[in-house]
Amino acid sequence: MAGLQIHSEEIAGRVTLRLEGILDGRTAHEVRTSLSSLSGREVVLDFTHLREFKDSAVGVLTRELVERPVQLRGLATHHERMFRYFGVGTGESQRRAYYTPEDILSA
């Protein structure tokens, strides 16, 4: 299973693109093409089943993700941060910080 497989599933008007395999700069262009073909539709990109996710893919996907709202699912913390650096919102992280300023000030 070399490369990337993109599985498309539509439920209640929302299209989920489930990515499997290796996402790198080259295969990210395939994802951009898939996203472009779904213009005007609600889309979820599911990264949960990737074996490898190269940082170079983030730069390729950024333009498409900034231009339209796409929900991102299954990102590791590192890639959430990478997308945010490029100005792409990833939703709120469910992880709580090790400490917050309020914890320090009230101690």
Side-chain angles (χ1 to χ4, degrees):
M1 179 167 117
L4 179 73
Q5 293 180 346
I6 303 172
H7 303 280
S8 179
E9 178 180 284
E10 183 174 352
I11 298 175
R14 176 186 287 177
V15 178
T16 298
L17 297 179
R18 186 170 35 94
L19 309 178
E20 289 186 25
I22 299 170
L23 184 60
D24 56 19
R26 182 184 58 79
T27 57
H29 286 286
E30 296 173 33
V31 176
R32 279 185 62 181
T33 301
S34 294
L35 287 170
S36 294
S37 70
L38 297 170
S39 180
R41 307 205 38 206
E42 188 176 348
V43 178
V44 176
L45 264 181
D46 185 357
F47 299 92
T48 307
H49 301 285
L50 288 175
R51 284 183 305 156
E52 284 185 53
F53 187 164
K54 307 279 186 179
D55 290 349
S56 58
V58 174
V60 174
L61 292 175
T62 298
R63 177 184 295 167
E64 192 70 32
L65 298 177
V66 166
E67 292 176 358
R68 60 179 290 189
V70 175
Q71 182 183 355
L72 306 179
R73 181 187 308 154
L75 287 172
T77 304
H78 169 72
H79 290 104
E80 282 182 6
R81 192 174 317 124
M82 291 286 292
F83 276 116
R84 284 195 310 265
Y85 292 157
F86 282 97
V88 176
T90 60
E92 297 206 17
S93 178
Q94 300 298 321
R95 296 174 189 87
R96 186 181 184 291
Y98 179 70
Y99 64 88
T100 63
E102 292 81 16
D103 293 337
I104 299 299
L105 294 173
S106 65

